[in-house]
């Protein structure tokens, strides 16, 4: 008989067993055998739950059942029946079984709990574990939610380039892209001559699609990007990756307050989507990874997102009486310990910090009238710290040029960016949500490496 495979997820959605037989395929999680009966937990990754297969060993010849062990891949056919066991609606009463790929006793994923670090070292098997199955199903569902949020609001999706010549954030953390031979690069005046490189200039992997996004926002009004982003910062923290995904909306005719509103709506929408569509995976995270996670996400639907100026935040930090590792003073960047104090202890929820000193922010942010701050915002959330960074953009060409000159930036390579301000400039604003930071927030996972399929961090690019 040639039955088509049904995903286990679909079987669990049924309100009654289908007539006739079903065919399932997947990987064995556990096997329990006795003389009378054999139970096999089969998982195909389509949902959190495994399907229990029940076999009567007497009906098969021994050699057929030999290879059925943890990690093996198999196909099983039989009627779905109501399960007498607690916690599962159906089980499959196996009529025929076929071993598709055996797994011997060296299979590394055994029933005991493995550390996330160890699982990272076996990235080819990691997604078969409970935790990572749940992480990557949620990552997929929430990528879809990102697109539906913007699609429902009429935002145009723009694919910005991965190879670029501009360092949007100006932090000099670009991975170079070149076809020049490092041993014998062409030189002129003793320096490497990049005019003879592939693109005729120095290029690198993008640190942000924002500058290109702004161009499209001043044509389509509301746009967003969603793609990989690369930063060669040598910071080995649990919240930084060298390759991460960022969502960057950009809106014409919008100021900083409108930018914050969109960020708030976006976060609520994604969280609501997770609660509605990822209930089984979330139940696992709630039980095993972060106690109270579901309550926290539920509360976000009605939470007020507070707003505080940077100046006020610094004064609250100074008055906190805390002994921070990095001292705080007006003009210095907030460190992760400061951000966490503000969001976790001071307000106990999401917090927008706005109007940062201009000297610690990028050149494109709109200058405030006080002459020392810019219309920037960071959204801080408990456990993660900064999850979103954004700003209103400097739409006045003279101000932009003056700022670039102050920073010693050459305006020529950014002529196209400056041109937006020359013809039909308008107030506009946007932000970037680090997709992995959001996944950490929504799953409770504590290390950014554990929410990316193949993490890239300093020293790590295998797999
Ligand atoms: O604050 P950032 O650097 O802002 C920008 O890139 C702007 N161009 C965004 C915009 O206004 N369109 O980065 C935005 C977000 C951060 O808040 C953080 O969530 C995430 O990107 N992020 C990282 N995530 C993981 N690893 C890293 N190394 C990250 N750097 C930033
Ligand atoms: Mg930032």
């Amino acid at each position: 008989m040639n039955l088509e495979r049904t995903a286990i997820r679909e079987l669990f959605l049924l309100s009654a067993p289908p007539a006739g037989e079903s065919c399932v395929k997947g990987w064995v999680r556990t096997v329990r055998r006795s003389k009378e009966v054999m139970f096999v937990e089969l998982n195909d990754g389509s949902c959190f739950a495994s399907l229990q297969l029940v076999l009567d060993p007497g009906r098969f010849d021994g050699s057929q059942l030999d290879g059925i062990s943890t990690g093996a891949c198999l196909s099983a056919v039989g009627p779905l029946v109501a399960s007498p066991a607690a916690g599962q609606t159906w089980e499959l009463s196996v009529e025929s079984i076929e071993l598709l790929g055996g797994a011997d006793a060296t299979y590394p994923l055994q029933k005991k709990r493995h550390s996330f670090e160890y699982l990272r070292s076996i990235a080819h098997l990691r997604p078969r574990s409970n935790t990572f199955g749940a992480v990557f199903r949620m990552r997929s569902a929430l990528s879809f939610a990102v697109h539906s949020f913007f699609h429902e609001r009429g935002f145009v999706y723009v694919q910005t380039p991965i190879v670029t010549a501009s360092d949007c954030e100006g932090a000099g953390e670009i991975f170079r892209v070149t076809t020049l031979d490092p041993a014998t690069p062409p030189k002129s005046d003793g320096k490497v001559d990049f005019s003879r490189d592939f693109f005729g200039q120095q290029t690198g992997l993008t640190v942000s699609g924002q500058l290109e996004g702004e161009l499209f926002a001043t044509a389509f009004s509301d746009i967003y990007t969603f793609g990989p982003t690369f930063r060669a910062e040598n910071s080995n923290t649990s919240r930084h990756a060298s390759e991460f995904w960022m969502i960057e909306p950009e809106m014409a005719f919008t100021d900083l307050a409108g930018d914050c509103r969109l960020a708030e709506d976006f976060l609520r929408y994604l969280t609501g989507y997770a609660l509605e569509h990822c209930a089984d995976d979330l139940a696992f995270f709630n039980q095993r990874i972060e106690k109270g996670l579901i309550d926290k996400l539920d509360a976000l639907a009605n939470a007020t997102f507070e707003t505080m100026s940077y100046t006020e935040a610094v004064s609250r930090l100074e008055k906190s009486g805390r002994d921070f590792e990095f001292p705080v003073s007006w003009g210095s960047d907030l460190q992760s310990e400061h951000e966490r104090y503000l969001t976790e202890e001071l307000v106990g929820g999401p917090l927008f910090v706005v109007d940062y000193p201009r000297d610690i922010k990028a050149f494109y942010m709109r200058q405030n009238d006080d002459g020392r701050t810019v219309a920037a915002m960071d959204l801080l959330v408990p456990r993660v710290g900064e999850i979103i960074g954004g700003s209103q953009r400097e739409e006045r060409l003279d101000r932009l040029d003056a700022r670039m000159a102050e920073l010693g930036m050459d305006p020529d390579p950014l002529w196209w960016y400056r041109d937006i301000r020359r013809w039909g400039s308008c107030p506009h604003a946007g932000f970037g949500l680090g997709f992995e930071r959001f996944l950490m927030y929504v799953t409770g996972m504590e290390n950014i490496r554990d929410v990316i399929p193949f993490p890239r961090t300093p020293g790590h690019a295998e797999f």
Side-chain angles (χ1 to χ4, degrees), residues 42-334:
L42 195 74
N43 189 283
D44 68 0
S46 63
C47 61
F48 188 84
S50 299
L51 181 68
Q52 174 156 281
L53 312 182
V54 187
L55 294 89
D56 172 357
R59 298 188 45 195
F60 297 86
D61 66 59
S63 64
Q64 254 189 309
L65 303 184
D66 280 351
I68 299 177
S69 58
T70 301
C73 183
L74 56 81
S75 165
V77 172
L80 204 63
V81 297
S83 174
Q88 58 196 23
T89 39
W90 323 123
E91 55 188 34
L92 194 86
S93 170
V94 178
E95 300 279 345
S96 68
I97 196 157
E98 186 188 346
L99 187 67
L100 301 176
D104 64 20
T106 61
Y107 183 64
L109 284 180
Q110 298 302 328
K111 197 162 182 195
K112 69 175 177 106
R113 273 177 101 171
H114 297 288
S115 74
F116 296 150
E117 290 76 14
Y118 171 68
L119 289 170
R120 245 179 264 142
S121 75
I122 51 167
H124 54 310
L125 296 170
R126 175 171 86 132
R128 285 197 206 169
S129 65
N130 268 334
T131 305
F132 290 99
V135 164
F136 296 125
R137 268 189 305 276
M138 282 196 61
R139 186 176 169 115
S140 165
L142 289 164
S143 305
F144 181 78
V146 165
H147 289 295
S148 57
F149 174 83
F150 290 112
H151 182 71
E152 284 169 18
R153 283 159 186 75
F155 281 57
V156 169
Y157 174 36
V158 186
Q159 290 86 16
T160 50
I162 288 172
V163 176
T164 172
S166 53
D167 175 0
C168 171
E169 297 305 306
E173 292 161 346
I174 291 196
F175 286 101
R176 293 272 157 239
V177 171
T178 176
T179 52
L180 297 179
D181 180 349
T184 53
K187 294 207 168 160
S188 119
D189 295 338
K191 286 197 196 132
V192 176
D193 182 4
F194 286 100
S195 70
R196 291 168 62 192
D197 202 349
F198 190 89
F199 295 106
Q201 59 186 320
Q202 274 199 61
T203 54
L205 300 178
T206 182
V207 297
S208 162
Q210 178 195 321
L211 302 188
E212 292 87 352
E214 283 185 52
L215 261 68
F216 272 63
T218 50
F220 296 98
S221 304
D222 298 319
I223 65 99
Y224 72 105
T225 73
F226 184 10
T229 307
F230 308 85
R231 294 196 186 172
E233 16 178 8
N234 208 347
S235 45
N236 242 318
T237 79
S238 58
R239 308 173 323 126
H240 289 86
S242 318
E243 177 179 311
F244 62 98
W245 281 59
M246 188 158 52
I247 298 122
E248 295 185 276
E250 188 72 33
M251 295 171 290
F253 320 117
T254 300
D255 60 10
L256 191 68
D259 202 31
C260 292
R261 272 200 304 278
L262 185 79
E264 184 174 332
D265 287 350
F266 188 35
L267 212 62
R268 280 195 222 280
Y269 181 95
L270 293 180
T271 308
Y273 190 96
L275 287 165
E276 192 179 336
H277 297 274
C278 309
D280 290 355
D281 292 325
L282 272 182
F284 169 81
F285 290 120
N286 191 55
Q287 195 195 353
R288 300 288 282 272
I289 305 292
E290 181 184 342
K291 300 261 179 279
L293 174 71
I294 293 181
D295 288 343
K296 173 185 94 174
L297 299 179
D298 271 330
L300 197 75
N302 305 309
T304 36
F305 284 49
E306 297 205 19
T307 302
M308 187 182 286
S309 71
Y310 166 91
T311 303
E312 160 106 28
V314 167
S315 121
R316 295 293 200 94
L317 286 163
E318 282 169 343
K319 286 187 201 134
S320 70
R322 285 305 165 91
D323 191 15
F324 292 115
E325 189 187 340
F326 297 93
V328 250
S329 65
W330 202 96
S332 63
D333 213 352
L334 299 182

Side-chain angles (χ1 to χ4, degrees), residues 33-37 56-58:
R33 330 172 177 248
S34 69
K35 267 214 177 70
E36 299 76 38
V37 65
D56 172 357

